[in-house]
Amino acid sequence: MTIPPRGSGCFITFEGIDGSGKSTQVARLAEHLRAQGRQVVVTREPGGSPGAEEIRALVLQGDPDRWSAETEILLFTAARRDHMERLILPALAEGKVVLCDRFADSTRMYQGLSRGDLRPVVDQLHSLMIGQEPDLTVLIDMDPATGLSRALSRQTADERFEAFGEDLQTAMRAGFLALAEEFSDRFRIVDGAQGIDDVAKDIAQIVDRALA
Ligand code: ADP
Ligand code: TYD
């Protein structure tokens, strides 16, 4: 099956290091948009469809060296493909706003950069199997030490990547900022060190402008 063309909805993704406040802000933005009468779908990666949630448990739990970076690229892309087919594209076809906590930019960073330069492999598989970019990507920029302490305070089982520690968070922060320059047409950067309400206000302003 080839990936069908995009519908009339709007596809917005959130990126940033662990603990930067993405899930908090996705929920806040959904509230804001629903209050305007918009139909909003909130989802996340890895996951978002039953099959992709099963893959999520495989990639996020267990030893940090459980998978090679190459195997991870395949697993994350398989999860994404299922998520696109079953949830994201049907919602966009119905004209909904889709808010997704992480997407392909996370694979470009975590699998593409963290263990050698695999970015070309990530990009090739992406164009072969996914072939779509978001309309808008909100990057919540955040100091790595604060992000990691916020993330670890949550105490979930999905900590395989958090176990890679602050060095990984630092590399990912720099990588995301570089990615925002590379895809400057769709990326907007928000300062995640502010309080939750102020971050939410900045994001609402960016998204309202994009949807107008
Ligand atoms: P992410 O999805 O990026 O990993 P979360 O939204 O889960 O981040 O936030 C991680 C933790 O930090 C949560 O406990 C959340 O309540 C808290 N948090 C989120 N945003 C802020 C903020 N702006 N200031 C302080 N704490 C925050
Ligand atoms: P998530 O649950 O969103 O973590 P957090 O809320 O702490 O940001 O994502 C889990 C981890 O999965 C996160 O450490 C980044 C990693 N990840 C990848 O390595 N590649 C990917 O393609 C995606 C989507 C996530």
Side-chain angles (χ1 to χ4, degrees):
M1 176 183 139
T2 53
I3 288 266
R6 272 272 267 289
S8 59
C10 187
F11 183 27
I12 303 176
T13 58
F14 282 68
E15 298 284 357
I17 60 174
D18 294 322
S20 55
K22 296 178 299 301
S23 13
T24 305
Q25 294 301 331
V26 164
R28 291 291 295 262
L29 180 63
E31 245 174 66
H32 172 79
L33 295 174
R34 284 180 182 133
Q36 298 174 347
R38 295 185 192 272
Q39 283 190 293
V40 180
V41 172
V42 168
T43 188
R44 66 165 180 187
E45 290 207 348
S49 61
E53 288 290 331
E54 288 193 35
I55 298 175
R56 178 185 175 93
L58 288 176
V59 283
L60 296 190
Q61 296 175 17
D63 286 346
D65 61 358
R66 182 176 185 187
W67 308 107
S68 71
E70 288 83 353
T71 311
E72 274 174 19
I73 294 170
L74 292 166
L75 289 168
F76 279 109
T77 307
R80 182 161 305 128
R81 173 77 196 204
D82 191 63
H83 189 204
M84 291 289 287
E85 287 176 6
R86 289 168 199 268
L87 186 84
I88 298 176
L89 293 173
L92 293 175
E94 290 169 5
K96 296 177 180 165
V97 179
V98 176
L99 305 182
C100 190
D101 186 344
R102 295 193 184 278
F103 190 66
D105 295 316
S106 282
T107 318
R108 292 187 172 105
M109 291 297 98
Y110 287 81
Q111 284 65 48
L113 283 191
S114 66
R115 282 153 288 171
D117 181 18
L118 288 174
R119 175 75 194 277
V121 180
V122 174
D123 284 338
Q124 281 172 37
L125 198 60
H126 180 81
S127 63
L128 195 64
M129 283 295 145
I130 310 296
Q132 311 233 1
E133 300 297 343
D135 297 303
L136 175 70
T137 300
V138 176
L139 171 59
I140 306 183
D141 181 50
M142 171 95 245
D143 151 60
T146 315
L148 192 62
S149 73
R150 281 191 198 166
L152 291 173
S153 72
R154 277 179 314 209
Q155 302 269 338
T156 68
D158 299 343
E159 283 180 359
R160 209 178 131 243
F161 287 89
E162 284 150 21
F164 284 103
E166 196 177 321
D167 287 352
L168 176 72
Q169 292 270 83
T170 302
M172 293 300 104
R173 181 197 198 179
F176 274 123
L177 289 170
L179 207 59
E181 266 183 44
E182 185 180 337
F183 296 107
S184 58
D185 53 330
R186 67 175 166 88
F187 261 90
R188 297 292 175 270
I189 303 172
V190 171
D191 176 10
Q194 311 174 83
I196 292 178
D197 288 345
D198 288 329
V199 180
K201 213 179 289 170
D202 284 0
I203 294 173
Q205 212 168 53
I206 289 167
V207 172
D208 286 346
R209 209 174 298 144
L211 291 174

